[in-house]
Each structure stands twice: as structure tokens, then as C-alpha cells.
Amino acid sequence: MVFDGIVCANEDERYMFEALKEASEAAEAGEVPVGAVIVKDGQLIARAHNMVEGARSSQAHAEMLALAEAEEKLGSKWLTGATMYVTLEPCSMCAGAMVLARMDRLVIGANDPKTGACGSLFNIAANEKLNHRIEITRGVLEYECSTLLKDFFKARR
């Protein structure tokens, strides 16, 4: 499958490339380069990138902004049947919000060993004690996602 001039092995790669575009926009704005998109019924319904610095808000993570956009577009707080593609493993705030929104699936690019709450430190998204669990796919375009983050932080040091 060719998408936007890039050969993609599958739909997960196609949408992760869209999340990478968002992450690149974040980097250009001086934000930690994390991007997220949400897909439902084969349609991309929301896209966002980190805006923590620009918005001066600890809540302006790509995932939180994408969730808000998807909920607004659908007119519902429930995102059943939806998949989020995110370039970096979500933190506890974002993972919790996805569980509360009843997101079906989460596709992660790079793991986050410092704050990852979807399997690295702990797993909010698939915790059996919660009333909803999210199917998780890891490592989609991991090299590209990790490289973007590493290059961003290397340039800042």
C-alpha cells in the first residue's frame, strides 16, 4: 500500500505516519514531538500534537487534544470502535482518559520507559481491575518515532 508517497505495509503504518506528521509539527513549534490521530470506521476523525508549552498547560498532550476533538466531532464522550495511533506511549493521564472514553484500540510507536502507562511502568489501558480495557499494539514505526524524539532532545542539549 502506498500512502502519501510512502510504502506502508498495513493500515497501522499508514495512520502512524499521520501521527508522525503531527509529531513533526510539534517539534517545529518547540514542543516534545508527540503526535496522535484517532480513526473510527476507516476514517481519520481527529489529529493533534503536543501543545504543552504553547498552551502553558500540563494537560495539552497530543492524546488529550485528539480525544477532545474526536468527542466533539462525534458528539459523544464514548469512542467505542475507535483506534488511537500515538508516536510515544501514553502517560497515566492520557491512558486513563482513553479508558474512560472506552477507546477500543491503541497503537503505539515508541515505548516510554520513564512515564509510559500502557505497559512500560504499569498498564492502565489494560488493567483488569478497571471496567474497560484497551487492546494495545506496540512498536509500529518504532524506529521513526524514536528517532524523532532522540533527535529533538539531542538538539536541545
Side-chain angles (χ1 to χ4, degrees):
M1 161 190 329
V2 177
F3 174 72
D4 216 13
I6 299 167
V7 177
C8 299
N10 53 49
E11 290 290 306
D12 283 351
E13 285 189 3
R14 173 186 175 191
Y15 291 117
M16 189 60 75
F17 272 118
E18 288 297 326
L20 275 163
K21 288 180 188 179
E22 289 294 319
S24 294
E25 282 189 43
E28 289 173 20
E31 300 278 352
V32 174
V34 178
V37 299
I38 298 176
V39 176
K40 183 171 169 51
D41 300 326
Q43 299 294 314
L44 196 150
I45 61 168
R47 60 186 320 128
H49 56 269
N50 271 4
M51 296 181 66
V52 172
E53 302 302 325
R56 296 185 182 138
S57 171
S58 61
Q59 299 170 43
H61 290 198
E63 301 96 323
M64 299 296 286
L65 298 171
L67 285 169
E69 183 179 321
E71 291 166 348
E72 177 73 23
K73 184 173 267 183
L74 296 175
S76 174
K77 64 182 179 179
W78 306 122
L79 296 178
T80 53
T83 299
M84 180 181 289
Y85 294 83
V86 63
T87 58
L88 180 65
E89 180 180 356
C91 69
S92 55
M93 172 181 67
C94 296
M98 285 184 262
V99 168
L100 293 174
R102 307 293 195 269
M103 176 88 43
D104 277 10
R105 187 166 174 249
L106 171 64
V107 180
I108 300 168
N111 294 327
D112 186 349
K114 293 185 179 182
T115 63
C118 297
S120 289
L121 291 179
F122 41 88
N123 198 338
I124 291 173
N127 189 310
E128 292 185 11
K129 293 182 180 180
L130 298 176
N131 64 340
H132 179 76
R133 281 161 295 292
I134 301 169
E135 176 189 335
I136 300 170
T137 301
R138 308 177 80 77
V140 175
L141 300 181
E142 182 174 13
Y143 176 80
E144 293 83 350
C145 294
S146 295
T147 299
L148 182 60
L149 284 157
K150 288 175 187 173
D151 290 349
F152 174 81
F153 286 113
K154 183 188 268 186
R156 296 188 71 112
R157 291 187 176 107

